[in-house]
Amino acid sequence: MERSLRLGRLATFAYFVLNGFLMGMWIVHIPDIEHRAGISHAVLGWLLLLLGAGAFAGMQLVGPLTDRFGARTVVPLSAALCSAGVVLPGWAANAWTLGAALLVLGLGNGCLDVSMNAHAIQVERGYQRPVMSAFHAAFSIGGVLAALAGARMLSWGWSPVANLGTVALLGLTVAAVAAPALLGTRSADAPETSAGPPAAAKGRRGTKTPRRIWGLAALALMIMLCEGVANDWSTLHLRNVLGAPAATAALAYGAFSTAMTIGRLLTDRVAARFGSVAVLRYGASAAALGLTAASLSSSIPLTLIGWTLFGAGLSGCVPQLFSAAGHADPDAAGTNVSRVAGLGYVGMLAGPAIIGPLTQVMPLHLTFFLPVAFCAVAAATAGILRPRDAAPTRLETRDGTTDSTERPAHAAPRETAPGTHSVERRHEH
């Protein structure tokens, strides 16, 4: 493997960890920032919508810019914007200034999210095998590091401005140091083997987003809505429905997030062996089974197992959707990823908001059957991940029978065992 491609992969890991770390540090400081701004929980809830709005706007803005100028240019600038933006909430003295700060932070987060995922697609194309899920695991690891570092910094009694200012300087340093290792546009390490149409064809069809991309975006909305439900309601489920102690109830989110991180570290190998369609189909099915068990169980241990299975099942789903969107057309990877990530982010924000009103008409644990239904839809429609030119690989075995399997989208050609003959090989991208 070429050295530049390995360095590009390491740089991508750095930006994913940085993104998770920056947003995690903001989350850790929310109570102090809320107190400094003199606002209520209700006002904070409304202001958080500005964070989401800024992120969505940033995603839609940076996608075409990444396609035009290249991820090597856009990723460091986005990381710098996100790093500088994280200190702004620490300076906020009222609701108005905090709202403006969150809008800028959200904008930087959205720009970094899409641009680094577009570069991850470029790295994955160079490796010609799935590597996307590990990058998303790195984001989760960044959040864990933020929780540990944030707790230590808060114990020192520093102000939010001092803490977040230090974090901003660290982020700017990482953004600058990692930038030279990013892959250039049309890097020699990223061969043109994608099934996407050439640039000339892209120019003829204009800038209209294909229906397949909107289909992937709709699935991202559903899956990330499920993640949002777990983030905000898993602990309350154990606390309010099962009457678990506060410390025990916190284990629900811990089990879910740990399973998500570990699952993403393992998903690339699974996707390389069985294909992205299988990851989404069986992962979403496992998630539906896990959340159903958690919803119906009256046993705390079984409920925790259910939340764990829910996290493990969901762990590889979103990376497969982002990867499919990016590989659909290399010349519009940033734009396509921005569509999928944008609607997915809407789902992440909408999940908790939808569950709240539903609890007025039914018990909390029964509202979880909405995300269960979304998981079922994702499992049933997982075939959308399969490239249009993909066909199952059919291998003639020694006894004359035919073995038909789905090849992973980015796997290297599989060698035929001695004495067998490949009668059809699918074009890989």
Side-chain angles (χ1 to χ4, degrees):
M1 194 64 66
E2 293 292 334
R3 182 172 180 269
S4 60
L5 183 57
R6 292 197 300 269
L7 290 176
R9 187 183 185 189
L10 290 175
T12 309
F13 275 121
Y15 283 111
F16 271 83
V17 171
L18 176 62
N19 192 200
F21 184 76
L22 293 174
M23 298 313 296
M25 289 300 291
W26 142 249
I27 292 172
V28 168
H29 286 83
I30 285 178
D32 286 350
I33 292 172
E34 182 186 47
H35 177 73
R36 175 183 171 86
I39 59 176
S40 65
H41 295 331
V43 173
L44 177 64
W46 285 107
L47 292 179
L48 288 175
L49 293 178
L50 292 174
L51 180 70
F56 183 82
M59 290 175 181
Q60 304 314 306
L61 172 68
V62 84
L65 291 178
T66 303
D67 293 332
R68 181 174 181 180
F69 298 105
R72 187 174 191 176
T73 299
V74 178
V75 171
L77 294 177
S78 299
L81 176 60
C82 191
S83 299
V86 78
V87 73
L88 299 180
W91 277 324
N94 52 52
W96 293 102
T97 52
L98 180 57
L102 292 179
L103 191 64
V104 175
L105 177 59
L107 183 70
N109 179 46
C111 289
L112 180 55
D113 192 324
V114 166
S115 60
M116 70 184 184
N117 271 287
H119 186 266
I121 296 295
Q122 201 172 339
V123 172
E124 188 171 63
R125 192 176 301 121
Y127 272 86
Q128 295 185 291
R129 61 180 173 84
V131 296
M132 178 65 80
S133 292
F135 292 137
H136 284 245
F139 177 89
S140 300
I141 292 172
V144 173
L145 294 176
L148 297 175
R152 172 58 64 183
M153 296 173 79
L154 289 171
S155 71
W156 294 336
W158 291 6
S159 69
V161 173
N163 287 345
L164 295 177
T166 302
V167 171
L169 290 176
L170 176 62
L172 291 171
T173 301
V174 172
V177 170
L182 295 175
L183 301 178
T185 305
R186 301 301 185 203
S187 169
D189 296 311
E192 292 300 314
T193 53
S194 171
K202 174 177 172 280
R204 286 194 301 270
R205 74 162 184 262
T207 58
K208 184 178 180 181
T209 302
R211 285 183 295 178
R212 178 170 178 258
I213 298 301
W214 288 120
L216 294 171
L219 288 180
L221 184 149
M222 295 180 191
I223 295 297
M224 294 182 72
L225 183 147
C226 295
E227 293 183 19
V229 169
N231 292 341
D232 286 47
W233 293 100
S234 56
T235 297
L236 287 173
H237 172 224
L238 260 72
R239 181 71 171 154
N240 296 343
V241 177
L242 300 183
T248 302
L251 293 176
Y253 175 69
F256 171 82
S257 58
T258 301
M260 283 279 289
T261 303
I262 295 175
R264 284 178 171 172
L265 289 172
L266 300 175
T267 294
D268 288 331
R269 292 180 179 273
V270 177
R273 175 65 180 85
F274 299 103
S276 58
V277 174
V279 170
L280 179 58
R281 176 171 295 141
Y282 296 109
S285 298
L289 178 62
L291 188 54
T292 298
S295 302
L296 299 180
S297 173
S298 58
S299 164
I300 291 177
L302 182 57
T303 300
L304 290 174
I305 292 174
W307 282 111
T308 302
L309 182 57
F310 187 53
L314 290 181
S315 61
C317 295
V318 169
Q320 307 311 309
L321 297 172
F322 280 27
S323 181
H327 288 291
D329 182 353
D331 296 301
T335 300
N336 289 339
V337 170
S338 73
R339 301 292 187 261
V340 175
L343 275 187
Y345 201 81
V346 170
M348 180 75 78
L349 297 175
I354 291 174
I355 295 298
L358 285 178
T359 60
Q360 302 299 314
V361 297
M362 65 180 69
L364 174 61
H365 64 287
L366 294 183
T367 66
F368 294 154
F369 282 98
L370 176 63
V372 166
F374 285 157
C375 288
V377 171
T381 59
I384 194 175
L385 291 178
R386 188 177 294 111
R388 291 178 180 176
D389 68 336
T393 301
R394 302 178 65 84
L395 297 177
E396 183 182 333
T397 61
R398 297 186 184 189
D399 60 2
T401 60
T402 300
D403 174 35
S404 178
T405 59
E406 179 199 346
R407 293 277 302 285
H410 312 294
R414 183 168 55 192
E415 294 184 1
T416 306
T420 64
H421 304 281
S422 174
V423 297
E424 181 180 8
R425 287 193 181 275
R426 189 180 73 188
H427 171 71
E428 301 294 332
H429 74 283

